[in-house]
Amino acid sequence: MGYYSPGHPERPQRIRFTLERLRGQKGLPITWREPLAVELATLERAHSKEHIGRLKAARYDFDSDTAAHPGIFDHARRSVGGGLQALKAARAGEIAFSLLRPPGHHAMRDRAMGFCYLSSVAIVTLEALATGVESVAVFDYDVHHGNGTENILLNKPNAAFYSVHQYPCFPGTGTRNVGNNCFNYPVLPHTPRLEYRKVLSQALADLTRFKPKLVAVSAGFDAYAHDPLAQETLEAEDFHWLGEELRKLGLPIVSLLEGGYSEELPDLILTYLKGLEAK
Ligand SMILES: [Zn+2]
């Protein structure tokens, strides 16, 4: 997790400080596991061979936000492996959260962008479907639209995508539903938190009607009121509430870290996990 660009908000400290916070608390018992190894074929369900080749070469920056760091393919693949380990744990009945970077939900089938290289959540979804889970819903509450996940899961049988995000905002998509399985809930900047919660509730109600057997969560913490990259209004307790609402679905839940760039990120993650555990 050591790669970084000076001044970039998606920095190693996001994970390091969260690890310290989670290891230093006693209220929530946590079992730590390492990422699983990831086969190329698993990645290729979601991404083109050309895209994977470009990540391996890492010759040119993918855009001004998404640098070609040395070894970035291995970092991104490890992040996918964390998602797969979390999937395994969720299927075994555990509350599972993958605490790794880079995030993934902006990575498209054929393009890295927005700090993202491989769409971990889409890869986890397709892995679950390929290994016996009947239907999988992705719930993306990162403040940015999960355009990469949408791009990869569009019209895929037995998969559905629900994204609540600020619009206008990066990446500028997600204003309407797409295909037969991608549902978008754009929210204006500075929307009061109780209204924002109502939209999250609506998305979860719609997701329930899809009757998924497993929910993969793109867990981003940048709709937080003090996040530097967006203009929304959620407070720490709203992430606890989100965890509780997801728990109430009574389904296996696998969460993968996406964004969240405030100094309070470690506390927001802990409070979300407590919500998931009803603590
Ligand atoms: Zn984000």
Side-chain angles (χ1 to χ4, degrees):
M1 66 178 176
Y3 71 91
Y4 71 101
S5 306
H8 198 294
E10 205 290 281
R11 58 206 176 113
Q13 289 88 329
R14 297 177 63 232
I15 305 300
R16 204 170 73 230
F17 293 162
T18 303
L19 273 174
E20 285 172 11
R21 179 78 182 89
L22 295 180
R23 287 188 168 136
Q25 56 86 40
K26 297 213 166 59
L28 191 72
I30 295 177
T31 306
W32 295 92
R33 294 202 181 89
E34 293 295 314
L36 293 180
V38 184
E39 305 283 334
L40 219 45
T42 307
L43 302 179
E44 287 173 357
R45 286 198 197 103
H47 295 282
S48 67
K49 287 188 164 66
E50 293 73 21
H51 175 67
I52 291 168
R54 285 191 294 271
L55 292 184
K56 283 182 175 167
R59 208 164 290 140
Y60 308 103
D61 287 351
F62 299 94
D63 61 32
S64 57
D65 287 333
T66 317
H69 300 283
I72 192 62
F73 175 68
D74 294 323
H75 290 297
R77 183 163 62 175
R78 198 176 311 120
S79 196
V80 170
L84 294 175
Q85 177 67 275
L87 171 66
K88 188 177 164 191
R91 291 176 79 173
E94 297 175 43
I95 307 282
F97 187 95
S98 176
L99 178 63
L100 286 167
R101 54 191 287 271
H105 72 152
H106 297 306
M108 300 172 77
R109 179 162 193 85
D110 202 36
R111 182 181 168 193
M113 64 179 278
F115 322 161
C116 299
Y117 302 86
L118 293 169
S119 181
S120 301
V121 81
I123 294 164
V124 162
T125 299
L126 296 173
E127 171 71 9
L129 290 171
T131 55
V133 180
E134 246 171 73
S135 56
V136 180
V138 175
F139 181 64
D140 186 330
Y141 68 76
D142 187 281
V143 81
H144 303 101
H145 178 230
N147 62 306
T149 314
E150 176 178 284
N151 170 253
I152 294 164
L153 296 184
L154 183 66
N155 294 336
K156 282 266 192 295
N158 307 314
F161 173 66
Y162 301 82
S163 178
V164 179
H165 45 267
Q166 178 180 313
Y167 182 86
C169 198
F170 180 87
T173 49
T175 54
R176 59 188 177 82
N177 298 338
V178 187
N180 60 27
N181 69 340
C182 294
F183 304 95
N184 288 309
Y185 304 79
V187 184
L188 287 170
H190 307 289
T191 295
R193 50 186 276 257
L194 292 181
E195 274 180 49
Y196 203 102
R197 269 204 201 194
K198 277 188 197 155
V199 181
L200 290 162
S201 291
Q202 183 61 53
L204 281 172
D206 294 344
L207 177 152
T208 306
R209 278 197 290 281
F210 172 65
K211 295 193 169 53
K213 295 286 191 275
L214 181 141
V215 180
V217 181
S218 269
F221 296 84
D222 39 12
Y224 177 53
H226 308 291
D227 196 278
L229 294 199
Q231 291 79 43
E232 291 305 351
T233 57
L234 296 188
E235 296 293 344
E237 67 193 81
D238 297 313
F239 293 100
H240 189 275
W241 169 83
L242 252 178
E244 287 176 314
E245 292 300 299
L246 285 162
R247 179 188 180 85
K248 283 186 200 159
L249 298 177
L251 295 165
I253 306 279
V254 50
S255 301
L256 283 71
L257 179 63
E258 299 283 1
Y261 307 95
S262 67
E263 292 193 354
E264 291 84 1
L265 177 66
D267 285 325
L268 300 181
I269 292 175
L270 177 58
T271 196
Y272 170 67
L273 292 175
K274 284 185 171 171
L276 277 173
E277 295 267 15
K279 291 208 171 180

